[in-house]
Amino acid sequence: MGLNHDKSASPAASSMESIRSHILADPEMDMLAEDNSQNVTQDGWMVAYLDLMTLLLALFIIMGAISHSKAGVRMQAPSSPQKSASEGVTVSDNATVQRQGQKKGMEESVQRILGSNSLGGVMDYKLSPGQVRLQMHANMLFNTAGTHLSPKAMLMLKNIAKVLKNYRGKIEVAGHTDDAPLRRGRFKSNWELSSARAATVVEALINLGISQNRLHATGFADTMPVASNATAEGRAKNRRVEFIVEMGSEFLYER
């Protein structure tokens, strides 16, 4: 019985093995397997390529961000030191406003002092860094080519002394002439005339109570004209006496 069973089962097993071998040996099945293998290889290459492109894009984005950040710092750096922390106004602007206010206040003070001493329409003034320059025509104090002070001139100098007492700085009295040569009188040149007039005014101011330690006299002749000597009007402006008062820390500003 056992021998008959083995003989009957053997043909069936052989038939199944034959079919399996036929299937495995089928060319179409081999081609399908090969195509699947190639597709897997191609898909792997595309994944690696896309990863590389992603990395390069990220690198370019980072480099661009760093470049823009550095450019922004360079543009903002020059303006930041000048800004104040509270109001955003530059220090130089604040200083300019302060100097302008100081100059305006000084001009008003000089005008008030001159006006209160009957010199508003008599003396001109000019403000410059550290000094006040007062000036008047020489013919208000002296005769032509002369150095004698009349009673009227002395009254005017008395008022000038009151003005000068409002300040504490040193005072230079400067004599100026036009360029016309001297033809008569005791002075040989405009240098002698301008120096003598300045000295005469200094002596009068000392007698009027101005300390001699604050005063000195200088003659400039025709070397510092304020107008053209080609006209009579210009020559009259050049013949003048100036009172230059040093202000020190009382009055400092830029031109």
Side-chain angles (χ1 to χ4, degrees):
M1 291 295 290
L3 180 62
N4 290 337
H5 176 75
D6 291 338
K7 289 182 178 180
S8 61
S10 177
S14 298
S15 177
M16 290 298 295
E17 290 293 334
S18 177
I19 293 171
R20 182 181 300 170
S21 299
H22 178 74
I23 293 173
L24 293 175
D26 188 354
E28 292 182 359
M29 295 298 294
D30 291 341
M31 293 177 63
L32 180 60
E34 184 178 355
D35 290 342
N36 289 336
S37 176
Q38 292 178 354
N39 289 337
V40 171
T41 303
Q42 291 177 357
D43 290 344
W45 177 82
M46 289 295 294
V47 170
Y49 177 77
L50 290 175
D51 288 343
L52 178 61
M53 292 297 101
T54 302
L55 290 174
L56 289 175
L57 179 60
L59 178 62
F60 289 145
I61 292 174
I62 293 172
M63 291 176 65
I66 294 174
S67 176
H68 284 295
S69 176
K70 290 182 177 180
V73 171
R74 285 195 300 269
M75 292 173 61
Q76 296 175 2
S79 60
S80 58
Q82 297 180 357
K83 296 293 182 180
S84 64
S86 58
E87 300 179 359
V89 179
T90 61
V91 174
S92 60
D93 289 344
N94 285 333
T96 301
V97 171
Q98 184 177 5
R99 286 192 296 269
Q100 290 175 347
Q102 192 176 20
K103 179 182 178 181
K104 183 177 180 180
M106 194 63 187
E107 288 178 345
E108 293 175 351
S109 174
V110 172
Q111 291 173 358
R112 183 176 63 254
I113 293 171
L114 292 177
S116 63
N117 289 282
S118 304
L119 296 170
V122 175
M123 299 193 76
D124 295 326
Y125 70 90
K126 181 180 180 181
L127 306 180
S128 58
Q131 66 179 215
V132 177
R133 186 181 294 262
L134 307 171
Q135 68 179 33
M136 63 192 311
H137 294 302
N139 59 9
M140 293 183 176
L141 297 175
F142 305 103
N143 296 326
T144 303
T147 60
H148 176 71
L149 293 171
S150 65
K152 181 178 180 181
M154 286 301 300
L155 179 60
M156 196 170 298
L157 284 176
K158 185 177 180 179
N159 291 334
I160 293 174
K162 292 179 182 178
V163 171
L164 296 177
K165 287 178 181 178
N166 287 273
Y167 308 106
R168 297 189 298 271
K170 291 186 177 298
I171 304 164
E172 176 186 3
V173 179
H176 300 269
T177 67
D178 58 21
D179 64 349
L182 298 178
R183 295 195 173 99
R184 57 191 176 87
R186 61 191 180 95
F187 299 106
K188 298 179 181 180
S189 68
N190 285 318
W191 286 104
E192 292 184 6
L193 176 61
S194 62
S195 300
R197 283 180 170 178
T200 299
V201 171
V202 164
E203 290 177 357
L205 292 176
I206 292 173
N207 293 330
L208 290 169
I210 304 295
S211 172
Q212 63 179 358
N213 295 328
R214 296 179 58 196
L215 294 162
H216 65 277
T218 309
F220 289 97
D222 59 86
T223 61
M224 298 180 65
V226 293
S228 173
N229 282 305
T231 64
E233 182 180 2
R235 289 192 297 272
K237 290 181 179 180
N238 290 331
R239 296 190 297 269
R240 66 194 189 278
V241 176
E242 290 184 324
F243 303 84
I244 303 151
V245 186
E246 295 179 4
M247 302 302 295
S249 60
E250 299 174 44
F251 183 55
L252 293 174
Y253 71 95
E254 292 185 0
R255 293 181 189 275

